[in-house]
Amino acid sequence: MKFAVIITLKKDVLDPQGKVIEQTLQSMGVNSLKNLRQGKYIELELNETDEKKAHNSIEDMCKKLLVNLIIEEYKIKKI
Amino acid sequence: MKFAVIITLKKDVLDPQGKVIEQTLQSMGVNSLKNLRQGKYIELELNETDEKKAHNSIEDMCKKLLVNLIIEEYKIKKI
């Protein structure tokens, strides 16, 4: 079973890396760009047939290692 | 208009960072984990009302700056 975890900075947290990419694109002539934020994407494959169990196990991994819950938030999606 | 770009390493490209996360999780007791790969996630907001134009403009940004097409691939999604 394959899942994707998308980890983004919380809305109010400054994203300097995203800002640099945004400014670079703008200086390259992209005028329509209004805002850009960068996050992380993790693709996981689990040996688990029960979707709910798999989901719970990923929640656990997020809380224990993958996500810094103070400044980041995450979404889990089956793919 | 908001879009997400998901950038992942091509299948045959080694992902050492993902491997480290995978091994760390396994050593923390996650037995069901079979495979893990890490990628990048970029959220863009565009001042553009035409979805097709926006999509093309993002394709352009990917090719010119965001994605290393030799080792990475990307997906664009409207969000």
Side-chain angles (χ1 to χ4, degrees):
Chain A
M1 216 174 250
K2 265 192 155 182
F3 290 84
V5 181
I6 290 170
I7 303 165
T8 48
L9 286 166
K10 286 182 185 169
K11 262 185 196 166
D12 300 326
V13 177
L14 214 66
D15 175 17
Q17 204 178 349
K19 264 287 168 273
V20 169
I21 302 174
E22 184 186 318
Q23 285 161 4
T24 308
L25 284 167
Q26 281 162 347
S27 73
M28 282 167 73
V30 184
N31 303 314
S32 56
L33 189 61
K34 208 171 133 194
N35 191 32
L36 185 150
R37 283 177 84 79
Q38 211 203 359
K40 276 179 273 183
Y41 176 83
I42 293 174
E43 228 172 70
L44 302 128
E45 210 178 329
L46 293 189
N47 271 331
E48 176 69 73
T49 46
D50 184 344
E51 188 174 336
K52 206 169 175 191
K53 264 192 196 167
H55 202 281
N56 286 342
S57 141
I58 293 172
E59 283 265 351
D60 230 47
M61 296 183 219
C62 285
K63 283 175 189 156
K64 282 188 189 153
L65 181 76
L66 303 176
V67 183
N68 177 352
L69 288 166
I70 301 168
I71 53 165
E72 294 171 327
E73 52 194 10
Y74 64 95
K75 269 179 272 178
I76 302 171
K77 281 182 196 168
K78 197 175 178 304
I79 51 174
Chain B
M1 217 174 250
K2 263 193 154 183
F3 289 84
V5 181
I6 290 169
I7 302 165
T8 48
L9 287 166
K10 285 181 185 171
K11 262 185 196 165
D12 300 327
V13 178
L14 214 66
D15 175 17
Q17 202 178 351
K19 266 286 169 271
V20 169
I21 301 174
E22 183 185 321
Q23 284 162 5
T24 307
L25 285 167
Q26 281 161 346
S27 74
M28 282 167 73
V30 183
N31 303 313
S32 55
L33 188 60
K34 211 172 130 193
N35 190 32
L36 185 150
R37 284 176 83 78
Q38 213 203 355
K40 277 178 275 182
Y41 175 83
I42 292 174
E43 229 173 71
L44 303 129
E45 211 178 328
L46 293 189
N47 270 332
E48 177 70 72
T49 46
D50 183 343
E51 188 175 338
K52 207 168 175 192
K53 264 193 195 166
H55 203 281
N56 286 342
S57 140
I58 293 171
E59 284 263 354
D60 230 48
M61 295 182 217
C62 286
K63 285 177 189 154
K64 282 190 188 151
L65 181 77
L66 303 175
V67 183
N68 177 351
L69 289 166
I70 301 168
I71 54 167
E72 293 172 327
E73 52 195 10
Y74 64 96
K75 268 180 273 177
I76 301 170
K77 279 182 197 167
K78 197 175 178 306
I79 51 173

